[in-house]
Amino acid sequence: MISRLPLDEQLPALRTTLSHNPTLLTVLDRAATLALPGWYLTAGCLFQTIWNVTTGRPPEQGIKDYDLFSYDPADLSYEAAIDTFAATTCCLGIRLDPHDHWRVYAPHGLADIFNLVLRPNPVLAPREVYETKAERWQRQWPELRVLGWPETD
């Protein structure tokens, strides 16, 4: 099981899994030629490809868009922006460095993504956003284990 591997062994598995999506690879290759500062391909196109491959669906099924984030010194860093996504599973970014090296930003690791666990990011995202996305995603991937919003005192 990929999620139980040490992180340095999960990274090649991540690349292998994402490589099943030809559109994702094309976007990654083209973005690398744009010379954007500190860019990342991020969000749904990544974790949804993993969910699709893990559950035996076509790799591109249900993916609506491919988001590129780029660093703007007058704004948040790209990592800070990725950290604000509604679920920890969504907090993932990948870019190509020179020589076809994948740089991966995954502040919450990769285990939940490969285990089909959707976990809220309550510190940075509104509950309503998480619950709306979770409901939609669970309709498309019924195998997802959706964790509820943490109760507060």
Side-chain angles (χ1 to χ4, degrees):
M1 178 172 257
I2 294 170
S3 64
R4 298 229 181 245
L5 295 173
L7 187 57
D8 64 328
E9 293 179 35
Q10 287 182 30
L11 294 174
L14 174 71
R15 184 172 181 156
T16 298
T17 303
L18 293 176
S19 293
H20 284 82
N21 181 333
T23 302
L24 188 147
L25 295 178
T26 299
V27 171
L28 207 54
D29 285 337
R30 289 183 182 171
T33 68
L34 299 175
L36 297 169
W39 66 275
Y40 277 104
L41 179 62
T42 189
C45 66
L46 300 176
F47 64 85
Q48 291 172 10
T49 296
I50 294 167
W51 292 347
N52 283 335
V53 171
T54 301
T55 60
R57 291 175 172 81
E60 299 177 79
Q61 182 174 310
I63 297 174
K64 295 181 179 183
D65 55 26
Y66 293 74
D67 297 313
L68 284 178
F69 280 28
S70 177
Y71 178 69
D72 177 353
D75 201 354
L76 293 173
S77 73
Y78 43 85
E79 284 99 349
I82 291 170
D83 288 349
T84 65
F85 292 147
T88 59
T89 306
C90 307
C91 301
L92 177 62
I94 295 174
R95 72 172 176 239
L96 278 179
D97 283 345
H99 310 294
D100 199 35
H101 175 261
W102 282 33
R103 180 177 175 121
V104 177
Y105 179 71
H108 304 283
L110 301 172
D112 280 354
I113 301 169
F114 281 109
N115 286 329
L116 303 170
V117 173
L118 194 63
R119 185 180 310 275
N121 189 4
V123 175
L124 299 167
R127 179 180 186 157
E128 301 77 36
V129 171
Y130 172 74
E131 290 175 346
T132 299
K133 288 180 180 286
E135 182 180 313
R136 181 178 45 134
W137 292 333
Q138 194 162 41
R139 279 194 308 271
Q140 189 163 352
W141 294 276
E143 303 90 342
L144 281 178
R145 186 166 58 109
V146 176
L147 303 182
W149 196 263
E151 297 300 322
T152 58
D153 295 340

